[in-house]
Amino acid sequence: MILTITIRDDLHTIAVQHAARSRGITDFHIVECDHLSGRASVTWRSHGTPSAIVRTADGVSLPLDEVSVLWWRRVRADQRASVHAADDHQRALVNNDCRGALAGALAAGFHGRWVSAPEATDRAADKLYQLTVAARAGFRVPQTLVSQSRDEVVAFVREVGRVIVKPVVGASGPLVFTQHIDDPAAIPDASFGVCPAIYQEYIPGTRHIRLNCFGERMHAALIETGDLDWRPNLNVPISRWPVPDDIADLVLRVLRHLGLRMGIIDLKLTPQGEAVWLEVNPQGQFLFLEPLIGEPLTQHFLDFLIAEHAAA
């Protein structure tokens, strides 16, 4: 039995569930973590069996001890019903207690295979930590500075040349795209002090790699564009990219050290063809690539979940 924790209308989960049902797999369930409030969604008891039960999007009461694989997909959203709370305190109470009850029930009552474990997912999402791990594994990583000091950023630009800036974590809502920062000395000091940001050596080249790693299998796309951040414009040449064995070995080394069973990885190829590690998203987007490169990624991911079930 496979269970996914995600938000309502998550297209990735819906697509994989549809693929499962088209194969006759009915034990693929979804818990919508942003719709726990307003109905009996989570039960946990210290004595008796089953100890933990969650209610799926289809209204099925599912004992967690019957679940073999748990896809930890999208888990941080607030409750949709909390918008009707009387004040900020009530809203925070609803959101925190729903999130805490679900997390606690899963931690106590689920004993199968995580994709991927919450602790590993949270740690791997730390861009500073994953850069350190990737470098130790043997990847070239860009020279990077995280700072709130304009003087430090100015010195960094003088040292490394062209520099880009991006958020350390970011926030829900409109995407904040990676940008060049050419003259930090011309920016008010207060702008740097608001919060830390990532300042990073610019890697030249026009070949971007989006690598989807599901277990031991990898499916990658080559995105050819002169844009610094390829996400706003996908009307560019995009094709399958056979993953070289040496890159595959490095990727698996990084993911194993991070404790991840899957990862969506961004690399960039220098003009000389060297692969530079940019980052990994433990639960990144892959569905958009399927029609662009003609690769059945939904089916590949379902195959991966089925293999995890068999190994549980």
Side-chain angles (χ1 to χ4, degrees):
M1 186 178 296
I2 299 170
L3 175 63
T4 302
I5 308 296
T6 191
I7 60 175
R8 179 168 290 183
D9 299 328
D10 174 33
L11 291 179
H12 282 68
T13 304
I14 293 170
V16 177
Q17 185 186 53
H18 178 75
R21 288 177 174 174
S22 70
R23 295 195 201 180
I25 301 170
T26 57
D27 281 338
F28 185 109
H29 300 280
I30 299 171
V31 167
E32 297 169 337
C33 66
D34 56 342
H35 280 76
L36 304 179
S37 178
R39 64 176 190 164
S41 299
V42 181
T43 300
W44 180 80
R45 52 173 58 87
S46 61
H47 295 72
T49 56
S51 65
I53 297 173
V54 293
R55 189 176 181 184
T56 73
D58 295 328
V60 176
S61 293
L62 193 66
L64 286 175
D65 58 9
E66 296 181 7
V67 177
S68 57
V69 177
L70 200 156
W71 181 15
W72 189 241
R73 167 80 182 143
R74 289 281 183 266
V75 298
R76 299 297 182 210
D78 290 339
Q79 298 302 302
R80 301 281 183 94
S82 70
V83 299
H84 304 298
D87 53 43
D88 290 343
H89 179 265
Q90 289 188 14
R91 188 174 302 111
L93 176 66
V94 170
N95 289 327
N96 291 342
D97 280 15
C98 285
R99 187 178 295 119
L102 178 61
L106 292 171
F110 173 66
H111 307 294
R113 293 173 72 92
W114 293 87
V115 179
S116 298
E119 299 82 2
T121 298
D122 290 345
R123 188 74 184 273
D126 185 320
K127 294 177 183 177
L128 284 62
Y129 178 64
Q130 60 172 255
L131 274 174
T132 302
V133 171
R136 289 175 180 168
F139 267 111
R140 175 184 166 186
V141 303
Q143 295 185 64
T144 303
L145 169 72
V146 176
S147 178
Q148 289 172 267
S149 166
R150 181 174 64 180
D151 290 345
E152 289 180 351
V153 176
V154 169
F156 184 68
V157 171
R158 288 173 180 164
E159 177 186 353
V160 305
R162 294 196 77 186
V163 167
I164 60 94
V165 59
K166 60 185 180 181
V168 176
V169 177
S172 59
L175 290 175
V176 178
F177 297 112
T178 302
Q179 302 179 51
H180 287 288
I181 180 167
D182 296 319
D183 186 11
I187 300 172
D189 186 67
S191 296
F192 292 91
V194 170
C195 66
I198 293 176
Y199 303 92
Q200 204 164 61
E201 167 196 6
Y202 168 68
I203 303 300
T206 60
R207 294 177 294 167
H208 307 255
I209 305 300
R210 182 75 160 190
L211 191 155
N212 307 284
C213 185
F214 307 147
E216 305 294 317
R217 297 184 64 185
M218 300 181 195
H219 312 278
L222 171 64
I223 303 166
E224 300 181 77
T225 176
D227 294 340
L228 178 61
D229 193 323
W230 51 261
R231 291 175 296 172
N233 177 24
L234 294 177
N235 189 27
V236 296
I238 302 177
S239 58
R240 297 185 191 184
W241 189 70
V243 182
D245 290 343
D246 59 334
I247 300 300
D249 289 343
L250 288 176
V251 167
L252 289 177
R253 193 179 305 169
V254 173
L255 294 190
R256 285 175 186 143
H257 191 96
L258 293 173
L260 299 178
R261 290 297 301 141
M262 64 168 288
I264 310 301
I265 295 138
D266 288 319
L267 309 171
K268 189 172 183 181
L269 301 180
T270 68
Q272 295 74 35
E274 181 181 15
V276 180
W277 176 279
L278 299 182
E279 64 182 74
V280 58
N281 188 324
Q283 289 291 343
Q285 310 288 349
F286 59 85
L287 198 61
F288 73 98
L289 280 177
E290 187 164 310
L292 296 175
I293 63 174
E295 188 73 48
L297 295 173
T298 302
Q299 298 292 339
H300 293 329
F301 188 78
L302 177 59
D303 290 338
F304 161 61
L305 293 180
I306 292 171
E308 293 293 285
H309 165 74

